[in-house]
Amino acid sequence: MAKYTTILWDLDQTLLNFDLSMEHALQAVFAQYGLPIDEEITARYDAINRSYWLRLESGEMTKEQVTVGRFCTLFEELGITHVAPEQINADYQRELGNVFFYMDGAKELVVLLKEKGYRQYVVTNGVNTTQASKMKRSGLDRIMDGVFVSELMGYPKPRKEYFDACFAALPGVTREECILVGDSLTSDMRGARNAGVASCWFNPTGRAKDVEVRTDYEIRRLEELLAILEQSEKNF
């Protein structure tokens, strides 16, 4: 086992609770346009949204096609024709960037790791303007050593090219000393395999794997990462 010195963090639903931000943003923009919103519509949007992001990860779509297309599909199903998907998406992204909710124990952990001298970077497929706003509002921009947003890197997670671009911007950091922590099997864990770095699946609900991808570690609570890092130091 290598000694891990650098943590690559996924942002949404790993450090920050994306589900809560999504619900807030949807309610805000639907109210703004006088559109109906309830748990059923929110759940349907969530399912459509996830399916579109998977298509980004596979290279089938661009980020713009994803962010606008998800609302096109939802509005078609709901019979909404008087609101432009492009406009509501812009307002939705703004609202997403206006709020943040930390996952349990996340801020305390990243602050502690910073004090211990670990390098920490965010690796995300999210929209750049939204992620930058959330990083600033949450204070993560002052804790992390950097952030790599896929639209600025030229490729999405889990592509090898995305991580090659990340490491090109990290001189002196070897892949052997990095561990990627994230909640997504398709984006984060598959990305870790493509990048040649250790993977730690954050799986707070204990769900079974629905895709075949190897993971080096699995944790239910973020603070469990400390034991993994400490063990890597002992075995080094």
Side-chain angles (χ1 to χ4, degrees), residues 113-157:
L113 292 174
K114 185 176 182 67
E115 292 172 350
K116 287 178 172 287
Y118 286 94
R119 292 177 295 230
Q120 301 179 87
Y121 298 89
V122 163
V123 288
T124 176
N125 273 344
V127 175
N128 182 49
T129 54
T130 302
Q131 304 303 65
S133 179
K134 287 193 290 188
M135 291 284 293
K136 183 175 182 179
R137 289 177 180 273
S138 66
L140 282 171
D141 63 333
R142 298 184 296 276
I143 299 171
M144 295 291 122
D145 293 284
V147 55
F148 298 109
V149 182
S150 62
E151 69 186 65
L152 301 182
M153 308 307 289
Y155 302 92
K157 288 188 299 179

Side-chain angles (χ1 to χ4, degrees), residues 12-31:
D12 291 321
Q13 215 55 25
T14 300
L15 291 178
L16 298 181
N17 191 321
F18 176 79
D19 288 347
L20 289 179
S21 294
M22 177 193 71
E23 291 173 11
H24 165 86
L26 279 179
Q27 290 172 3
V29 297
F30 272 56

Side-chain angles (χ1 to χ4, degrees), residues 34-70:
L35 300 174
I37 184 73
D38 56 22
E39 291 184 3
E40 184 177 349
I41 292 174
T42 300
R44 183 58 189 143
Y45 167 80
D46 186 34
I48 293 170
N49 185 51
R50 291 176 186 272
S51 71
Y52 267 84
W53 282 104
L54 285 173
R55 296 167 78 178
L56 174 80
E57 293 171 16
S58 67
E60 296 177 45
M61 286 187 166
T62 65
K63 189 168 291 183
E64 183 177 1
Q65 289 172 325
V66 167
T67 55
V68 175
R70 58 192 174 178

